[in-house]
Structures are given as C-alpha cells and as structure tokens.
Amino acid sequence: MAFPIVTVEGNIGSGKTSLSKKLAKDMGATLVLETFADNPFLQKFFEKQQDYALGTEMFFMAERYEQIKDAVPDREQLEQPVVVDYLFTKSLLYASTNLDADEYALFEKIFGILNPKLPHSDLIVYLHSGLDRLIANIFQRGREFEQTVRRDYLQQIEDRYMAYFATYDACPILVLDVSNADFVQKEKHYLQIKALIEKPHSKGVHHYTIE
C-alpha cells in the first residue's frame, strides 16, 4: 500500500463523499464517511450560527475522533487501506471560521489533546470547485440544512484549507481542480484522479486540473 490512509477533502458540495466511495471500492479499502444526520445542532447552526456554533463543532470533532480511532485502532496492524472523507484537522479549520475568540481558544485546547492520538494521512486529496459549481451541487442534492449556505462562507472555508496546506508538509497533498469535471458520471475523469493517487508524490502541495 503506497498510501495506507488516504484522506479526501473539499468544500461543501465538492463531491468528496462520492469520490471516497468510488476509491474505497476500487482499493478494497475500509471506508470512513462523515455523519451529518446525527449532529443535533446542525440545522440550528445554519439557522442561528452564533448560538449553536460551539455545540455543532464540538459534536463533529468528537464524532470524527471516534470514527478514525475505530477504523485505525493500531496503524502497525493495518491490513487494508483506509479512505476517509475528511481530515480530523477539518474540525479546527471550521472552528476557526465559526467560533468567537473565547470559544475557539477552548476548542483549540481540546483539539490539541485529541489530535496527537490519531493516525495521520499518508495522502490528502483536496477537491477544488468554483463557487458557482459548489452552490449548484448543494442545491441539487437538496440537504435542507445546507440551502442557506452563503458564497462568502464557502470562500472562507476554501481559504482556511489553502492556508493550512501551505504550512503542512507531513504528506503529499493533491489539490485537484474539478470545476469542469464529473468523476461520478464520466469514467475518464475518475480514472485521471485514480491515476494521480496511484503515482508517487513528494511531500507538499501538488496542483492538477481534471478535465
């Protein structure tokens, strides 16, 4: 396994879950998908962000931690690859966008306790799409709690990821521009992504366009 733990990331509506499912099936990998429906704060967060941001982010962080720990209890005993459709650090990036200074200080402290206990990715695949494409995808899939998401919020999230990747050198990061791609319906686009994932890459950020 060139990359035993592959993480697929991207903004809301970028298609990270769809890609994760296809990759896990092809790789015979354990699939770890983020659970949204279980978060009791999420609908309230999109309606009144200031009042429910901390509960939303704390719940997500706890869920992500438990999921990854369950999927990879012992990295040394890993018998098959793992595909995860989120970075654990996603918790911190969203918290930095959604929480006020005091809430974020508390969140960051708890994150700092949990993060070292988790195995880290061997490869990160980040799906970039233009804002118009993201909004169209969000509308099309019809999750009620996402329908009020704003363009500026999506841009803030993208900016947080790019700033984080610029300082991260623990593994290769493939930033794939899929603004004009459809890797669910068009096999050639999926095969381009799969070929890139199977290639060796040095640590740091690598940019590619899928078309």
Side-chain angles (χ1 to χ4, degrees):
M1 298 181 290
F3 301 112
I5 302 177
V6 176
T7 296
V8 179
E9 258 294 1
N11 212 327
I12 303 168
S14 62
K16 55 187 176 293
T17 299
S18 296
L19 179 60
S20 297
K21 289 178 178 178
K22 289 176 73 71
L23 288 173
K25 183 178 179 180
D26 275 359
M27 295 167 61
T30 298
L31 177 62
V32 181
L33 298 178
E34 186 158 37
T35 55
F36 291 93
D38 294 340
N39 192 327
F41 301 98
L42 192 57
Q43 179 69 50
K44 298 172 184 176
F45 167 76
F46 279 101
E47 293 170 357
K48 201 170 184 181
Q49 179 174 328
Q50 184 176 356
D51 290 349
Y52 295 101
L54 183 59
T56 300
E57 298 303 337
M58 285 290 194
F59 187 93
F60 271 138
M61 180 166 63
E63 287 281 290
R64 291 165 185 153
Y65 178 81
E66 289 180 355
Q67 280 189 307
I68 296 173
K69 279 297 257 185
D70 288 345
V72 191
D74 185 349
R75 187 186 182 97
E76 300 305 316
Q77 301 297 319
L78 198 61
E79 295 181 354
Q80 63 187 46
V82 178
V83 175
V84 188
D85 80 335
Y86 58 86
L87 276 171
F88 186 65
T89 308
K90 174 181 186 174
S91 300
L92 198 63
L93 300 181
Y94 272 76
S96 68
T97 303
N98 296 330
L99 304 183
D100 65 30
D102 290 337
E103 291 172 335
Y104 181 72
L106 170 63
F107 190 95
E108 186 177 32
K109 185 173 183 178
I110 297 172
F111 177 89
I113 295 170
L114 298 178
N115 190 46
K117 300 177 181 180
L118 293 177
H120 291 280
S121 307
D122 298 297
L123 176 71
I124 298 170
V125 180
Y126 182 85
L127 302 178
H128 164 78
S129 277
L131 295 180
D132 288 341
R133 178 72 180 275
L134 292 176
I135 290 170
N137 289 347
I138 290 167
F139 179 78
Q140 183 176 16
R141 71 184 179 191
R143 291 176 183 162
E144 183 180 353
F145 60 82
E146 291 179 344
Q147 297 308 305
T148 57
V149 68
R150 306 182 315 275
R151 292 175 65 92
D152 63 327
Y153 181 76
L154 294 173
Q155 187 61 60
Q156 287 176 30
I157 296 301
E158 173 94 354
D159 292 345
R160 291 288 193 277
Y161 276 108
M162 292 302 107
Y164 174 68
F165 292 152
T167 65
Y168 189 80
D169 61 359
C171 76
I173 301 167
L174 308 185
V175 177
L176 308 182
D177 188 337
V178 294
S179 298
N180 298 309
D182 184 349
F183 49 80
V184 175
Q185 299 296 331
K186 295 183 179 180
E187 188 70 4
K188 69 173 186 177
H189 292 158
Y190 171 67
L191 291 177
Q192 286 180 49
I193 295 172
K194 187 167 177 264
L196 288 170
I197 290 172
E198 291 172 344
K199 286 174 53 178
H201 298 277
S202 59
K203 294 178 180 179
V205 180
H206 306 266
H207 292 267
Y208 299 95
T209 299
I210 307 300
E211 57 187 1

